[in-house]
Amino acid sequence: MIETVEVLDPYFTKPDLPGNFERAVNGREIVDVGRRGKYLLLELDDGLTVVIHLRMTGSLVLLAPDGSENPGDARIYEADRSERHLKARFTLDDGGELRFSDPRRFGRGFVANGEDLETYFASRLGVEPLSDDFTVEAVAAMSAGRTGPLKSFLLDQKGVVGVGNIYADEALFRAGLHPLSPGGSMKPEHHLALRDGVVEALQRGLDLGGASIDDYRDAKGEKGGMQKEFLVHRREGESCVTCGGEIRRIVVSGRSTYFCPTCQKRLRRKSKRK
DNA sequence: AGGTCGGCCTGGCAGC
DNA sequence: TGCTGCCAGGCCGACC
């Protein structure tokens, strides 16, 4: 049970007021924990759901009641580290503590009922890439007619959810697709390659516990290992693992984008039928 | 309507 | 040393 929640930075609940968030959460039981896209969900015993988005630098760390008995533990390291940027503290009745901290103040939290949440997600989020719904046909359907670059297509959460800048680069490299290729230029073999590239890149990230470039830590305060295995991301000037050529960096829709010009061939826009 | 871009934020770092 | 300015990026709203 959550005994109390303290919102220490009103930005966390913006545009709603911290008091509303606190009143809705205080004294409630967490009956389930879930996720939709990049949104974390804490389902409460009265049907409401706490929704938290970490954005880039937010972290949610669970301090166990016995955490302090184990100096040197990553959780303790993380507790110290998060103290400076602590935005919300959930005090649990077992003596544990759930902390949301965020140096850049981009992360947000709010409370919503099931119906509102469905509406909220329906207008923003598409298919889960690690579900059975992420088929070749789905990729074909959602990319059809798109003229914008593939990179933008992957970053758009209304198509596939959960893919951010890192995994978009890694997925496109795995798929052998150029980030500037128009979404609608893909043929069936490219739909398959892109689907597999996205799934492989995300699965590799999960296996390695995520990518900790600067801030990312898991709920126990541990770093991930994905950043050590980037194939292209943040590797400008380094050698391609496949062909040995030079990795390039360009900017696509305002985001740094890394790719291998040799392995990732640019597709031409489909010409209109006469 | 799809696509693009700037703004929100702050820490870290390069450059002077 | 200390200042300025840029970069990082998920999402949103404004604009074309």
Side-chain angles (χ1 to χ4, degrees):
Chain A
M1 190 190 79
I2 302 166
E3 283 188 345
T4 54
V5 59
E6 304 159 73
V7 176
L8 305 167
D9 181 353
Y11 260 91
F12 175 63
T13 57
K14 206 177 171 185
D16 198 9
L17 295 172
N20 295 337
F21 184 86
E22 291 172 345
R23 276 190 291 279
V25 174
N26 283 341
R28 303 253 66 107
E29 197 88 34
I30 300 173
V31 296
D32 204 1
V33 175
R35 177 194 64 76
R36 176 77 173 97
K38 300 180 187 177
Y39 295 83
L40 305 176
L41 309 174
L42 307 179
E43 199 181 313
L44 305 178
D45 59 358
D46 62 349
L48 296 181
T49 300
V50 176
V51 184
I52 295 176
H53 197 306
L54 304 177
R55 299 289 182 102
M56 286 91 58
T57 56
S59 64
L60 208 50
V61 167
L62 180 63
L63 297 178
D66 61 347
S68 57
E69 295 168 13
N70 194 5
D73 189 288
R75 284 173 296 184
I76 302 310
Y77 169 79
E78 177 59 27
D80 293 340
R81 192 179 165 280
S82 68
E83 197 84 44
R84 281 173 61 199
H85 301 294
L86 191 60
K87 306 301 173 192
R89 187 205 321 266
F90 298 76
T91 304
L92 309 176
D93 66 339
D94 67 354
E97 200 174 290
L98 185 64
R99 288 182 173 187
F100 175 78
S101 45
D102 186 5
R104 296 257 294 274
R105 305 173 84 196
F106 270 20
R108 291 287 184 274
F110 63 94
V111 177
N113 67 42
E115 198 179 331
D116 289 348
L117 209 52
E118 212 164 293
T119 310
Y120 184 85
F121 287 153
S123 65
R124 288 172 172 77
L125 302 181
V127 60
E128 289 284 343
L130 299 181
S131 75
D132 292 341
D133 296 334
F134 190 45
T135 59
V136 175
E137 291 75 22
V139 173
M142 63 180 113
S143 62
R146 289 187 71 119
T147 57
L150 275 179
K151 172 78 182 242
S152 310
F153 168 62
L154 287 182
L155 293 178
D156 183 357
Q157 303 295 300
K158 290 195 278 292
V160 195
V161 301
V163 179
N165 204 39
I166 293 171
Y167 294 98
D169 285 356
E170 297 294 298
L172 286 170
F173 175 78
R174 285 168 184 269
L177 293 167
H178 195 291
L180 288 177
S181 294
S185 67
M186 289 188 292
K187 293 173 179 165
E189 68 260 33
H190 303 129
H191 298 140
L192 176 63
L194 185 59
R195 188 201 60 155
D196 289 349
V198 167
V199 172
E200 285 165 18
L202 289 176
Q203 193 56 56
R204 190 71 189 131
L206 284 171
D207 292 345
L208 292 171
S212 298
I213 293 172
D214 296 312
D215 299 276
Y216 174 73
R217 302 291 186 279
D218 70 13
K220 293 177 179 171
E222 304 276 2
K223 281 189 179 190
M226 180 70 175
Q227 69 283 357
K228 296 175 190 164
E229 293 201 12
F230 286 163
L231 302 177
V232 287
H233 191 72
R234 296 210 179 199
R235 294 192 62 234
E236 182 182 19
E238 295 179 29
S239 307
C240 171
V241 294
T242 304
C243 75
E246 197 172 313
I247 303 299
R248 293 254 179 79
R249 174 187 177 273
I250 56 174
V251 175
V252 183
S253 60
R255 298 289 168 251
S256 276
T257 299
Y258 302 83
F259 71 106
C260 171
T262 307
C263 297
Q264 296 172 257
K265 288 293 176 203
R266 189 163 177 177
L267 306 173
R268 303 264 313 280
R269 186 138 68 99
K270 275 181 188 163
S271 52
K272 283 183 182 169
R273 289 260 163 79
K274 287 179 184 172

